C-alpha cells in the first residue's frame, strides 16, 4: 500500500476516533432534546461563511501575486488554497500546507523564489492579524486559560508583538544579519545553508510587504476577513441550536485564540487539540450535551470538506506518483 493511502487511512481513523471520543464524552440526557431544535439552515449558513472566507483567501493570494509582478487565474488560486488544506492535514504541524502552496504556485508559473516569498507573506499576515486581536480578547474575556492571568497573557502578547516588529525592522535594515551569522556559526553546513535560505526568503517577504504599503494593507484586511469568516462557522451552528443571547464577542475571541494555538500544535491539522480546546472553551456557551457535536461539525465544515476538495485538485494536477514522492521526503 502506498504511503499516500496509508496517510489518508490513518487520518480518517484519527478523525473518526477523536470525533467519537469527543461526542461520547460530551453527550448527556439533554442532548437529543436540544438537537431536536436544530435548524438545518444553519449548516447552509456555515458553508456560506467558509466559502466567503475561502474567497477572501484566494483574492488576497491573487493580489499578492500581482504585487510580485506575476499573474495567476482565479482557478489556480483556488487550487493553491485547497491544496494547502489537503497536505496540512496529512502532515504533523501542518507543515505540508506550505509545500502544497509552493507546488501549486510553481505549477501556475510563479518562479520558485517568488512562490516561497508569497507563502511566507501569507503566513505572516495571518499570524500578525491574530496577534493584533489578542489584546482585545484578553481585555474582554477573563480567565480564558486556567492558572494564567490575563495580565500575564497580555504581557506575553505584547512581547511577541514587539519581537515581531523588531525582527521585521532588523531584517529590513540589515541589522539582523550579524545575529543570524553569529547564531549559525557552529552549525553544520547543510543546516546553516537552510537557515540562510529561510532568512533570505523572509527578508524578501518583508520587502514585498513594504513595497506597496497601501496595497498590502488591503491584503491584510482580506487576511482578517478570511479568518473571521471561517471562525464564524461556530456562531452559525449555535444560531441553528437557538442560541441567540450569547456574547458573540467572547465566542469569536475564543475562536481566534484557539486557532492561534493551532498554528503551533504538532498533530496533523491540530487534530485532537482543536476538538479538546473547543470543548473546554465552549462547553458553557452552547445547549447542554451539544458541545462535542458542534466541535465535530465545525471541524467538518472548516477543515475536512476543504481537505477532500484539496485531495481532488492535488491528484488531478500532479497525480498519485508525485504525491508519493512528496510524502516520502
Amino acid at each position: 500500500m502506498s504511503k499516500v493511502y496509508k496517510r489518508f487511512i490513518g487520518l480518517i481513523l484519527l478523525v473518526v476516533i477523536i470525533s467519537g471520543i469527543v461526542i461520547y464524552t460530551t453527550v448527556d440526557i439533554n442532548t437529543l432534546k436540544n438537537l431536536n431544535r436544530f435548524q438545518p439552515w444553519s449548516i447552509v449558513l456555515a458553508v456560506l461563511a467558509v466559502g466567503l472566507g475561502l474567497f477572501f483567501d484566494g483574492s488576497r493570494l491573487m493580489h499578492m501575486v500581482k504585487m510580485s509582478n506575476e499573474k495567476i487565474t482565479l482557478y489556480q488560486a483556488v487550487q493553491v488554497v485547497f491544496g494547502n488544506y489537503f497536505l496540512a492535514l496529512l502532515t504533523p504541524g501542518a507543515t505540508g500546507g506550505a509545500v502544497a502552496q509552493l507546488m501549486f504556485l510553481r505549477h501556475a508559473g510563479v518562479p520558485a523564489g517568488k512562490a516561497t516569498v508569497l507563502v511566507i507573506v501569507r503566513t505572516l499576515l495571518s499570524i500578525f492579524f491574530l496577534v493584533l486581536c489578542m489584546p482585545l480578547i484578553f481585555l474582554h474575556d477573563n480567565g480564558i486559560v486556567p492558572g494564567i492571568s490575563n495580565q500575564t497573557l497580555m504581557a506575553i502578547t505584547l512581547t511577541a508583538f514587539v519581537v515581531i516588529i523588531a525582527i521585521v525592522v532588523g531584517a529590513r535594515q540589515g541589522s539582523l544579519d550579524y545575529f543570524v551569522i553569529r547564531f549559525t556559526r557552529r552549525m553544520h553546513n547543510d543546516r546553516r545553508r537552510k537557515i540562510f535560505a529561510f532568512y533570505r526568503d523572509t527578508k524578501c517577504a518583508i520587502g514585498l510587504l513594504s513595497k506597496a504599503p497601501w496595497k498590502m494593507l488591503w491584503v491584510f484586511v482580506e487576511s482578517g476577513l478570511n479568518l473571521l469568516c471561517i471562525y464564524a462557522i461556530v456562531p452559525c451552528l449555535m444560531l441553528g441550536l437557538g442560541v441567540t443571547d450569547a456574547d458573540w464577542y467572547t465566542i469569536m475571541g475564543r475562536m481566534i485564540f484557539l486557532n492561534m494555538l493551532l498554528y503551533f500544535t504538532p498533530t496533523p491539522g491540530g487534530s485532537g487539540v482543536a476538538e479538546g480546546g473547543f470543548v473546554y472553551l465552549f462547553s458553557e456557551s452552547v445547549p447542554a450535551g451539544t458541545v462535542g457535536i458542534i466541535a465535530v461539525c465545525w471541524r467538518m465544515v472548516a477543515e475536512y470538506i476543504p481537505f477532500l476538495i484539496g485531495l481532488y485538485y492535488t491528484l488531478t494536477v500532479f497525480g498519485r506518483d508525485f504525491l508519493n514522492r512528496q510524502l516520502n521526503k
Side-chain angles (χ1 to χ4, degrees):
M1 184 181 294
S2 69
K3 194 167 186 177
V4 175
Y5 288 130
K6 289 181 180 178
R7 290 275 186 95
F8 188 66
I9 293 173
L11 176 64
I12 292 176
L13 290 175
L14 179 64
V15 168
V16 170
I17 292 171
I18 291 174
S19 300
I21 292 173
V22 168
I23 293 175
Y24 178 77
T25 56
T26 55
V27 296
D28 59 25
I29 195 172
N30 300 300
T31 301
L32 289 179
K33 180 184 70 175
N34 289 321
L35 286 180
N36 284 334
R37 298 184 300 174
F38 183 73
Q39 301 296 321
W41 54 258
S42 66
I43 295 289
V44 177
L45 194 61
V47 172
L48 289 175
V50 75
L52 188 60
L54 293 172
F55 165 78
F56 284 121
D57 199 3
S59 176
R60 68 168 180 161
L61 175 63
M62 293 183 69
H63 287 145
M64 284 191 293
V65 171
K66 187 176 181 180
M67 289 173 61
S68 68
N69 298 318
E70 301 294 335
K71 187 176 181 180
I72 62 173
T73 65
L74 177 60
Y75 183 65
Q76 290 169 330
V78 168
Q79 292 178 337
V80 175
V81 170
F82 283 112
N84 174 43
Y85 277 92
F86 172 59
L87 276 186
L89 254 70
L90 275 183
T91 52
T95 53
V99 176
Q101 293 177 66
L102 288 173
M103 287 164 44
F104 280 103
L105 283 170
R106 292 180 63 183
H107 184 264
V110 179
K114 288 185 178 180
T116 303
V117 170
L118 291 171
V119 172
I120 293 175
V121 170
R122 275 166 54 86
T123 304
L124 287 176
L125 287 176
S126 295
I127 293 177
F128 191 60
F129 175 80
L130 296 177
V131 170
L132 285 180
C133 290
M134 289 298 114
L136 300 177
I137 296 170
F138 298 142
L139 287 172
H140 176 77
D141 192 358
N142 292 321
I144 190 171
V145 178
I148 304 178
S149 68
N150 277 25
Q151 289 77 11
T152 302
L153 292 173
M154 181 73 77
I156 293 173
T157 301
L158 293 177
T159 301
F161 178 77
V162 171
V163 169
I164 291 173
I165 295 299
I167 291 175
V168 169
V169 173
R172 179 65 176 162
Q173 296 181 348
S175 57
L176 197 62
D177 298 0
Y178 171 78
F179 295 99
V180 174
I181 294 172
R182 290 273 305 200
F183 176 73
T184 59
R185 178 173 295 177
R186 297 183 180 181
M187 290 184 178
H188 191 273
N189 286 339
D190 289 340
R191 177 173 291 183
R192 195 179 189 194
R193 279 195 295 268
K194 289 180 180 179
I195 292 176
F196 282 158
F198 178 76
Y199 178 62
R200 180 196 65 230
D201 293 335
T202 302
K203 289 184 68 173
C204 292
I206 293 170
L208 180 62
L209 285 169
S210 58
K211 178 181 177 182
W214 290 111
K215 291 182 180 179
M216 192 54 69
L217 178 62
W218 176 246
V219 172
F220 177 73
V221 171
E222 288 184 308
S223 299
L225 292 173
N226 155 239
L227 296 173
L228 291 176
C229 286
I230 292 177
Y231 301 161
I233 293 171
V234 172
C236 291
L237 296 175
M238 289 183 178
L239 287 173
L241 284 170
V243 180
T244 58
D245 57 348
D247 183 350
W248 300 113
Y249 188 157
T250 298
I251 289 171
M252 287 298 290
R254 292 192 173 195
M255 284 300 298
I256 291 171
F257 177 76
L258 176 58
N259 282 273
M260 182 70 176
L261 293 181
L262 295 182
Y263 271 96
F264 308 100
T265 54
T267 59
S271 298
V273 177
E275 291 83 355
F278 187 95
V279 170
Y280 172 77
L281 291 173
F282 295 101
S283 57
E284 298 179 358
S285 303
V286 300
T290 62
V291 64
I293 296 173
I294 294 179
V296 172
C297 289
W298 159 57
R299 292 288 285 173
M300 184 70 66
V301 176
E303 299 286 346
Y304 303 141
I305 293 177
F307 164 83
L308 293 175
I309 298 173
L311 168 64
Y312 167 77
Y313 281 132
T314 303
L315 294 180
T316 300
V317 174
F318 300 106
R320 188 181 63 187
D321 291 339
F322 181 85
L323 193 56
N324 264 319
R325 291 197 299 271
Q326 291 297 319
L327 292 177
N328 280 316
K329 287 182 178 180

